[in-house]
Amino acid sequence: MEGVTDSGLAPLPASDRPELAARLRDALLAASFTADGLLDLLGAPAYAALARSETVPALRATRGDTPLETLVRLFLLQQPVPHARVASVLPVEDAVESGWLARVGGDEVAATVDVRPYGGPGGEDWFIVSDLGCAVGGAGGIGQRDEGVVLGVGGASTTLAGITVRTPVASALDLGTGSGIQALHAAQHATRVTATDLNPRALHMTALTMVLSGAPAAELREGSLFEPVADDETFDLIVSNPPFVISPGARLTYRDGGMGGDDLCRSLVQQAGERLNEGGFAQFLANWQHVAGEDWQDRLRSWVPRGCDAWIVQREVQDVTQYAELWLRDAGDHRADPAEYQAHYDAWLDEFEARKVKAVGFGWITLRRTAATEPVVTVEEWPHPVEQPLGDTIRAHFERLDYLREHDDAALLESHFELTAEVVQEQVGLPGAEDPEHVVLRQHRGMRRATKVDTVGAGFAGVCDGTLSAGRILDAIAQLVGDDPVRLRDRTPAQIRLLIEQGFLRPVR
């Protein structure tokens, strides 16, 4: 392949030829080079293996000469393909001239970038453009690549896309855009999208992703964190999958933030509040340190800026050895000289020891700008399976906070509620026991929470269909169980509030 840039990376295709991008897009779609088309061609096992960066099953499945097999070999498996074969599928001469393809060997062409089909939430056929060999998910790691490489779609990026609140907004900011995945999603519901990145190559990739996907162009700005944003500029939505890895130094731009410990994530969260419009959301993926003698939840609460509600969910915790090994494999260090690998490993553990870090947490942080005098900050650990996408679930969480703030206990008892969809009741106890030890309400959608309730709470939730007020239901329960209705009204609102906060009950009027 011809030429490299000053950074040692291959030159990128031109992003200022929308007419060629449209022709390429039409050709890709005509050949069914889509997420569904790939699944049909490769079959589930080979398709899943490709997502793990294992190419042998896909190579075996593309030994024919159909247009789709040609494109898979070219863009996903990054194999040289005969010029004549590509010319039957793509406008090959224009693609070579514009830099999407390069001549190799005697009569072959090869892709200069990874072009990966990506299904949008509404069935859109999109394409994510990234550097060759930098698809995310392989067990072997990215390897000893130049620090300026731009990665494609990975689990972190799809997680952030899934948790993002998708209400229509005027302005959205994708901070640290990478290959443009979040900007692409935001363009579907934001009038104006701004994408920033410290790496100019990433901004170029984002432009390629947007134009090849047929999406409106984003405004691209180079710089770190909020540096490219004017002091008085605010947004309705801010999203970021930042370089959150807590590492000794900043070897790899795509993952290492270059600040000590978890300072990059802390700075990002703390600075976001003043960049949000009233009611606007800021949503991030982050890593945070578990420091000896310090409550990790208190640590994260201290990050939340003034004037913001927050919901912080810790999804996973790794001890420092697990964490170091994960990111050493990501960099391909486990394939290097054993002495070099040990030196890198020692450097990670030295860094953690100096900071008294015992473990590292990973999770989601959502802020919402609020005018409330007493913002609510919820920090919790939830390592259990959830149902993506969660954007509506997260939006509803903050709407419930508003409701609970606006309703004291008296107003709560006058309100009407209904049980949310797909909540079931489980009775837990010893076999043969006359009464259960406790009752559990369990969600089968969204966060899939489970919570213990007493018999009054279970009875209350079971009757809630929006017909009777909460107070009337409690009066009926009191009469049924022979309890004092006044006392029941006094002690039950706290349990009702918990069921509302966790999404088991929904106010109807």
Side-chain angles (χ1 to χ4, degrees), residues 124-200:
E124 301 90 350
D125 289 314
W126 292 335
F127 300 96
I128 307 301
V129 183
S130 63
D131 272 311
L132 295 174
C134 288
V136 179
I142 296 300
Q144 301 295 332
R145 305 300 300 269
D146 187 281
E147 67 170 18
V149 297
V150 180
L151 272 60
V153 181
S157 52
T158 55
T159 293
L160 178 59
I163 68 172
T164 300
V165 176
R166 297 295 176 194
T167 52
V169 295
S171 57
L173 171 65
D174 176 14
L175 195 151
T177 187
S179 54
I181 300 160
Q182 309 308 324
L184 184 57
H185 277 278
Q188 308 309 300
H189 63 103
T191 304
R192 175 175 61 90
V193 177
T194 302
T196 72
D197 205 289
L198 180 63
N199 181 3

Side-chain angles (χ1 to χ4, degrees), residues 28-66:
L28 298 178
L29 295 177
S32 296
F33 188 64
T34 64
D36 289 341
L38 290 182
L39 182 58
D40 289 342
L41 171 68
L42 301 178
Y47 187 80
L50 191 61
R52 301 190 300 270
S53 295
E54 296 290 350
T55 59
V56 172
L59 285 167
R60 294 174 60 86
T62 56
R63 289 176 286 193
D65 59 0
T66 66

Side-chain angles (χ1 to χ4, degrees), residues 276-439:
L276 282 175
N277 293 325
E278 189 69 34
F281 286 91
Q283 298 185 263
F284 316 103
L285 301 185
N287 278 184
W288 43 79
Q289 299 171 153
H290 285 230
V291 180
E294 182 178 336
D295 187 299
W296 70 270
Q297 294 186 335
D298 289 342
R299 180 183 187 84
L300 289 175
R301 287 189 183 95
S302 73
W303 291 9
V304 178
R306 290 183 178 181
C308 288
D309 293 321
W311 186 15
I312 302 174
V313 181
Q314 180 167 273
R315 295 288 290 154
E316 184 179 1
V317 181
Q318 291 184 321
D319 68 47
V320 292
T321 59
Q322 292 174 309
Y323 189 81
E325 289 162 14
L326 169 66
W327 295 109
L328 287 167
R329 288 194 301 272
D330 171 80
D333 289 336
H334 61 311
R335 295 182 173 180
D337 177 76
E340 184 179 352
Y341 175 81
Q342 182 174 339
H344 283 309
Y345 203 148
D346 272 333
W348 283 78
L349 296 185
D350 286 343
E351 176 81 4
F352 287 135
E353 185 176 339
R355 294 180 177 276
K356 299 182 180 179
V357 176
K358 301 301 183 184
V360 177
F362 170 83
W364 320 323
I365 298 177
T366 299
L367 308 177
R368 186 191 60 166
R369 190 77 185 176
T370 178
T373 55
E374 296 184 11
V376 177
V377 177
T378 302
V379 184
E380 63 175 319
E381 186 167 18
W382 191 253
H384 311 293
V386 298
E387 182 188 50
Q388 285 273 37
L390 279 169
D392 287 345
T393 298
I394 290 175
R395 176 186 49 77
H397 168 85
F398 288 92
E399 290 175 348
R400 292 193 297 269
L401 291 185
D402 288 339
Y403 177 87
L404 291 171
R405 263 194 295 246
E406 295 165 0
H407 289 73
D408 60 17
D409 287 354
L412 202 68
L413 293 175
E414 293 298 318
S415 300
H416 296 240
F417 304 95
E418 64 182 12
L419 201 63
T420 53
E422 298 194 39
V423 173
V424 299
Q425 175 179 305
E426 300 174 358
Q427 295 185 343
V428 181
L430 294 174
E434 184 175 344
D435 296 312
E437 293 180 13
H438 58 264
V439 177

Side-chain angles (χ1 to χ4, degrees), residues 12 44 73 87 137 179 206 225 291 346:
L12 292 174
R73 286 240 164 190
S179 54
T206 293
L225 298 179
V291 180
D346 272 333

